[in-house]
Amino acid sequence: MTYCVALKLNAGLVFASDSRTNAGVDQIACFKKMRSFVNNGDRVIVILSSGNLSITQNAINLFEQRGRRNELRNLWNVESMTDVAMLLGDCLREVRDRDGPFLLEGNVRVGTNFIVGGQVSGEPPRLFLMYDEGNFIEATDETPYFQIGETKYGKPIIDRVIHAETPLMDAIKCVLVSFDSTMRSNISVGLPIDLACYARDSFNLDRVHHITDNDSYFSQISQRWSEGLRGVFASLPDPDWEIAPDTRDSFSIPPT
């Protein structure tokens, strides 16, 4: 299992992914699930992945490999992020068609998801969620984020905090709280976390951070969020109604 999240804000984009993969409690390893492609001044592309590791790695490697062939439409010469997402979807389908039947013969799950976002010169930053079949949808101001992997534990804080006007620094804090909540509830998600923040129209990915066990800022965020939750809970008022005994399922012996 994994957890990845990306936000599309007026100020830019925020991406984060954990690095844990597991095939049971005794088979845990770390693999990077964030890939970035940058041509300063022209385009920045970030891809997050979840699901079958061999499928996602091979699809992204094929996507990158085709970028070296100038005679093809590729990630470096297409004119929009929609085109970028379509190219990645084509690579995913090709790898699934090639490897999927053999994996299914061994009862290996082949499900995958991607989040791909960034900015190509001439258009604003954009963010897409790609499904297992290679089709995708785009984030909007009303739905400015996507999650893949183990999503349910980190979703409530994002729903409460994130909107299009959220500043990038607040968005980063929200994403880290989302990861902390997820890791506390599911051991299949864990450090390290890869975090990337892209400022709109910068065409440079210069805010990248790798968060490990000894990261003092993440530890501070985790501790203060827990303390804050306990403090808010303690300050909640008690119910102002009397709690009557529930007799709906009780049994009494009728008088004789």
Side-chain angles (χ1 to χ4, degrees):
M1 185 57 73
T2 189
Y3 178 45
C4 301
V5 60
L7 318 176
K8 184 184 80 73
L9 313 168
N10 290 345
L13 301 164
V14 177
F15 304 87
S17 61
D18 83 322
S19 301
R20 180 168 292 188
T21 63
N22 64 292
V25 295
D26 58 347
Q27 297 185 46
I28 297 174
C30 288
F31 288 91
K32 192 176 181 68
K33 301 164 191 173
M34 178 187 294
R35 293 280 291 276
S36 60
F37 305 88
V38 180
N39 182 6
N40 290 336
D42 180 63
R43 66 193 59 204
V44 170
I45 300 163
V46 178
I47 301 173
L48 308 178
S49 61
S50 72
N52 184 280
L53 189 61
S54 69
I55 296 291
T56 57
Q57 282 189 346
N58 278 277
I60 295 175
N61 288 341
L62 182 59
F63 177 76
E64 181 179 19
Q65 183 183 60
R66 289 180 174 172
R68 304 190 191 106
R69 299 182 60 183
N70 295 329
E71 74 276 12
L72 298 178
R73 294 180 74 253
N74 63 63
L75 69 111
W76 303 116
N77 61 30
V78 293
E79 297 179 352
S80 73
M81 282 300 301
T82 300
D83 294 325
V84 170
M86 291 176 66
L87 291 174
L88 180 60
D90 290 342
C91 293
L92 173 58
R93 293 188 185 106
E94 182 171 331
V95 172
R96 281 178 51 86
D97 289 345
R98 184 192 69 199
D99 297 347
F102 300 100
L103 294 173
L104 289 174
E105 286 179 5
N107 294 318
V108 177
R109 180 179 176 273
V110 296
T112 58
N113 287 110
F114 290 111
I115 297 174
V116 55
Q119 185 174 12
V120 173
S121 180
E123 65 175 20
R126 301 173 72 180
L127 184 68
F128 301 89
L129 171 64
M130 183 169 293
Y131 298 108
D132 194 31
E133 295 78 13
N135 59 316
F136 51 85
I137 60 173
E138 183 172 3
T140 65
D141 287 347
E142 292 74 26
T143 307
Y145 74 90
F146 289 130
Q147 299 169 288
I148 53 177
E150 183 53 88
T151 62
K152 57 183 176 291
Y153 301 109
K155 189 175 188 295
I157 178 63
I158 297 176
D159 284 336
R160 288 180 179 273
V161 172
I162 295 300
H163 53 84
E165 298 290 340
T166 304
L168 289 177
M169 290 301 104
D170 286 351
I172 289 173
K173 289 185 286 186
C174 180
V175 163
L176 293 181
V177 170
S178 177
F179 268 85
D180 180 65
S181 300
T182 302
M183 291 189 296
R184 283 178 177 269
S185 299
N186 191 321
I187 62 171
S188 70
V189 177
L191 296 169
I193 298 169
D194 289 307
L195 178 72
C197 180
Y198 172 73
R200 183 188 181 108
D201 297 330
S202 67
F203 295 103
N204 187 22
L205 197 64
D206 56 358
R207 302 182 190 178
V208 179
H209 191 53
H210 186 66
I211 300 171
T212 60
D213 291 328
N214 58 1
D215 189 284
S216 60
Y217 179 71
F218 183 73
S219 298
Q220 181 183 8
I221 288 289
S222 176
Q223 179 180 354
R224 294 186 65 172
W225 178 250
S226 295
E227 292 172 351
L229 283 178
R230 288 192 291 268
V232 170
F233 180 80
S235 70
L236 294 175
D238 292 335
D240 58 359
W241 64 84
E242 290 188 12
I243 306 299
D246 188 350
T247 59
R248 289 173 297 179
D249 295 324
S250 62
F251 175 79
S252 59
I253 300 175
T256 58

